[in-house]
């Protein structure tokens, strides 16, 4: 492992440990704020379609945001993981619709759900800094996916993380 990869791995591990210790009331407050701010961002970016992640482990809950966006007439989607090294595919989905376990055992829309290219993507962050640098979970799915989407259209991306995930400097 290179020194850069080891440093990122150490930062990720420490941030995920801090995130796991957050009490339920802090998580609930964050989810409410995510709904408010997420709707405001969707309106600001005039997004006709929005993707967010299905929350696993200790991630912030995005399901209420997706529910509200859908109620506002915005198409909502979840990412579908392909093989390692491949970009994500976004498939239409609203909370309450069926899911299937994906390649990483994360709930995903059924394979027959229509694919779409979202205008706004809410992505999970393991670690971030104030300069806009981020560390995900190490597979690079969102990096590849956003690069491909942005080659085809204008796409806004918003990282979603608790403040305990902030690092002073994220190595790049």
């Amino acid at each position: 492992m290179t020194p850069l990869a080891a440093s990122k791995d150490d930062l990720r591990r420490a941030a995920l440990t801090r995130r796991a210790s957050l009490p339920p009331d802090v998580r609930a407050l964050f989810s409410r704020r995510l709904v408010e701010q997420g709707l405001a961002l969707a309106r600001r970016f005039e997004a006709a379609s929005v993707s967010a992640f299905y929350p696993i482990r200790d991630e912030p809950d995005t399901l209420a945001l997706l529910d509200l966006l859908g109620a506002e007439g915005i198409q909502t989607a979840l990412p579908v993981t392909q093989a390692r090294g491949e970009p994500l595919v976004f498939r239409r989905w609203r909370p309450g619709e069926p899911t299937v376990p994906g390649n990483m055992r994360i709930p995903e829309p059924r394979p027959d759900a229509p694919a779409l290219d979202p205008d706004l993507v809410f992505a999970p962050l393991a670690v971030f800094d104030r300069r806009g640098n981020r560390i995900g979970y190490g597979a690079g799915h969102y990096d590849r996916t956003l690069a491909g989407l942005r080659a085809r259209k204008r796409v806004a991306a918003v990282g979603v993380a608790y403040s305990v995930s902030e690092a002073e400097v994220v190595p790049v």
Side-chain angles (χ1 to χ4, degrees), residues 39-76:
L39 178 59
L41 287 167
R43 289 178 176 158
R44 177 177 164 202
F45 290 112
E46 300 176 350
S49 58
V50 174
S51 174
F53 52 93
Y54 196 101
I56 59 168
R57 295 184 294 270
D58 305 309
E59 289 179 333
D61 189 349
T62 59
L63 300 181
L65 170 61
L66 288 171
D67 197 36
L68 177 62
L69 293 171
E72 292 285 320
I74 297 170
Q75 293 184 76
T76 57

Side-chain angles (χ1 to χ4, degrees), residues 14 16 19 24-25 27-28 32 35 38 57-58 65 75 88-89 91 99 102 109 120-121 124 127 152 154 156 165-166:
L16 293 178
R19 185 175 83 183
D25 61 323
R27 295 173 185 282
R32 285 197 295 274
V35 168
R57 295 184 294 270
D58 305 309
L65 170 61
Q75 293 184 76
L88 301 166
V89 171
R91 296 201 178 279
T99 60
L120 174 59
V121 175
V127 184
R152 296 190 299 273
R154 180 175 170 255
S165 298
E166 184 176 352

Side-chain angles (χ1 to χ4, degrees), residues 7-19 123-130 132-137 159-171:
S7 175
K8 286 183 173 184
D9 198 43
D10 289 344
L11 283 170
R12 181 184 301 111
R13 190 176 13 264
L16 293 178
T17 298
R18 290 189 305 270
R19 185 175 83 183
L125 304 179
V127 184
F128 68 94
D129 67 22
R130 295 280 170 155
N133 299 312
R134 59 172 285 280
I135 298 173
Y137 295 107
V160 179
Y162 299 108
S163 62
V164 297
S165 298
E166 184 176 352
E168 189 167 324
V169 176
V170 170

Side-chain angles (χ1 to χ4, degrees), residues 61-121:
D61 189 349
T62 59
L63 300 181
L65 170 61
L66 288 171
D67 197 36
L68 177 62
L69 293 171
E72 292 285 320
I74 297 170
Q75 293 184 76
T76 57
L78 290 176
V80 174
T81 54
Q82 307 298 306
R84 189 168 181 92
E86 293 294 316
L88 301 166
V89 171
F90 297 97
R91 296 201 178 279
R92 288 187 192 154
W93 184 82
R94 289 192 59 183
E97 293 181 351
T99 60
V100 296
N103 290 340
M104 300 175 76
R105 312 306 306 161
I106 299 169
E108 297 176 348
R110 294 175 19 169
D112 59 345
L116 62 80
D117 285 347
D119 302 314
L120 174 59
V121 175

